[in-house]
Every structure is written in structure tokens, then in C-alpha cells.
Amino acid sequence: MSAHNEETPILIEDGLMEGGSPDGGSPNGGSIVLEAGPDAAGQRLDQWLAGKLGPDMSRSRVQMLIRQGAVKVGGQPVNETKRKMAAGDRVSVDMPQPEPAEPQGENIPLDVLYEDNELIVIDKPPGLVVHPGAGNWTGTLVNALIHHCGDSLSGIGGVRRPGIVHRLDKETSGVMVVAKTDRAHKSLSEAFADHGLTGDLKRAYLALVWGIPMRPTGTVDEPLGRAADRVRRAVVPEGRD
């Protein structure tokens, strides 16, 4: 058992986070024990735990672990995310092993532009669907990434799968960045949700047009919905504005 102080989690199972720690890498499997210092008094359990478990552990996942009975205070399971902390509280967290991803890996060639332990950047070709879904349960980018990345996927939200943070339509080609860890998924999701307003994210689209448009500018304002084939989206009278 490792020595501990008020601020440092105790890793009570050897090798539970191989190559990782509470402030780096995704904690998948094993147990973690923390002791609350005086500064924890009055804080919500979920907020305090999310802060102590590192940037790769989202508050929503901490709340899920609490509701599943994986968090104990003083040896007793708790299921109230808003429970107030007290100085000296001893909190243990049983981290589940990542569940297998439902989509299966498929040996589909990928044009990899960059890859490290946290993320992978690929050039998606036209005709490749990103997510399994209606009409495309196999042969997708997700299937290809599961096969390509293998055990290097440490888990997104506790599930061993690639973290898709943005999408391109089936017939659209272009660069896509995909998370391989919870930490990368959280950071990239925040960047894409912000649309580059405050961060360094920049996105650009190139459209090729055949012929000469009748008007140089204009606005298309029509209701969109599922096309008759139930796969594509199209302008339909009953669609959403």
C-alpha cells in the first residue's frame, strides 16, 4: 500500500493504472482511496471527487459511479451525489474495467495523419460513415478505429471505444480528430462545443460547385427531415425548421 497524505490518492491495488495516475491517464479498474482534508468540508461529494481524480474524470462519470454504488465514505456505500463532505472523510472508489465496445473492430484501411497515446487524426474518405446506425451497422469509421487502435483505447466514459467529438457526412471527405482517452475526449469535446470562439480550434470547409449559381448569395430556409429511404436527410414538408 502506498503512503498517503491529505491530497494524494492511495492506489491500493498494484498496477491498477499502469502508466497512469490520478492526474494523468484514465483510471480503469482497481480501487482508489482518498482522505479529505480541511478544505473539503462542505463541498459536494461529486464535485470534490471530480477535482481529486484528475482532468480526465468528468463530473458526470463521477456521478454515475456514485449512483452505481462504486463510491464509499467511511466504508459505507453512498448514492447521493450532493452529499456534503467533512474533513477526515475517507472515500474509496471502485473503478470498473472498461466494457467492450458494442461495435466490433473491422480491418478497414485508414489514412492516418497523426497518432499518439491520446488521440488519432485521420483523413476520412468520401463514402465512409462515421457511426454505426440505421442502414450502416458495420463498415464505419468507428469499426475501423476499434480494429486499428486495439488495446491503445483506454476507454471513453468507461467503455473501450474511440471518442468521436465531431462528424463528417458519409459523402464528405476531410480531416477528423478522434480521442483515445477520457482526458482527450473531455478536452476535445469542450473545444468543438466552443466552436473555436475562445480556443485555438479552427475549422474550414471547401465546397466544389459545378456551373454558375444564379445568385451570388442567398439563404435556404426549408424544413429538414428524414428522406423516404430513412437514411438520408432532405427537405420534407413535415420536417423541422
Side-chain angles (χ1 to χ4, degrees):
M1 181 179 295
S2 305
H4 76 283
N5 55 38
E6 291 182 347
E7 298 299 326
T8 304
I10 311 168
L11 308 186
I12 63 174
E13 288 189 14
D14 291 338
L16 77 90
M17 289 190 293
E18 184 176 352
S21 68
D23 57 0
S26 179
N28 293 311
S31 298
I32 299 173
V33 178
L34 304 108
E35 187 170 311
D39 62 324
Q43 293 188 44
R44 286 175 45 149
L45 174 61
D46 58 346
Q47 293 176 329
W48 182 80
L49 262 184
K52 293 299 180 183
L53 291 176
D56 56 338
M57 179 64 69
S58 67
R59 186 169 157 191
S60 61
R61 189 181 178 197
V62 169
Q63 292 173 339
M64 179 181 67
L65 290 172
I66 293 172
R67 296 188 184 102
Q68 291 175 342
V71 177
K72 298 177 182 178
V73 178
Q76 298 299 316
V78 294
N79 53 25
E80 185 182 354
T81 60
K82 298 180 181 180
R83 182 191 188 278
K84 297 298 183 181
M85 296 290 297
D89 275 348
R90 191 173 177 84
V91 181
S92 63
V93 185
D94 295 327
M95 302 300 301
Q97 292 287 347
E99 301 172 0
E102 289 186 9
Q104 299 300 307
E106 298 178 38
N107 189 8
I108 301 171
L110 290 174
D111 185 359
V112 179
L113 304 178
Y114 174 82
E115 183 175 8
D116 59 24
N117 292 333
E118 299 281 343
L119 56 84
I120 181 172
V121 180
I122 61 102
D123 184 3
K124 188 189 89 67
L128 181 63
V129 175
V130 173
H131 274 292
N136 296 282
W137 294 111
T138 60
T140 71
L141 176 62
V142 167
N143 298 110
L145 286 167
I146 291 173
H147 174 84
H148 173 85
C149 297
D151 291 339
S152 68
L153 292 175
S154 69
I156 306 297
V159 179
R160 199 177 299 281
R161 63 179 174 86
I164 303 295
V165 295
H166 66 120
R167 304 179 187 181
L168 291 176
D169 291 340
K170 177 180 178 180
E171 299 303 334
T172 301
S173 62
V175 175
M176 290 190 64
V177 57
V178 180
K180 296 169 65 176
T181 67
D182 267 321
R183 177 168 56 183
H185 187 259
K186 179 181 178 182
S187 177
L188 290 170
S189 295
E190 291 173 351
F192 277 94
D194 186 50
H195 300 290
L197 296 178
T198 59
D200 297 328
L201 175 69
K202 294 182 180 179
R203 285 193 287 183
Y205 295 89
L206 176 65
L208 301 179
V209 180
W210 281 262
I212 302 176
M214 296 179 61
R215 293 180 295 176
T217 62
T219 300
V220 178
D221 186 4
E222 298 290 347
L224 291 177
R226 290 283 184 185
D229 59 12
R230 306 301 299 168
V231 175
R232 296 174 298 173
R233 300 187 70 82
V235 174
V236 293
E238 66 276 13
R240 297 174 59 182
D241 292 330

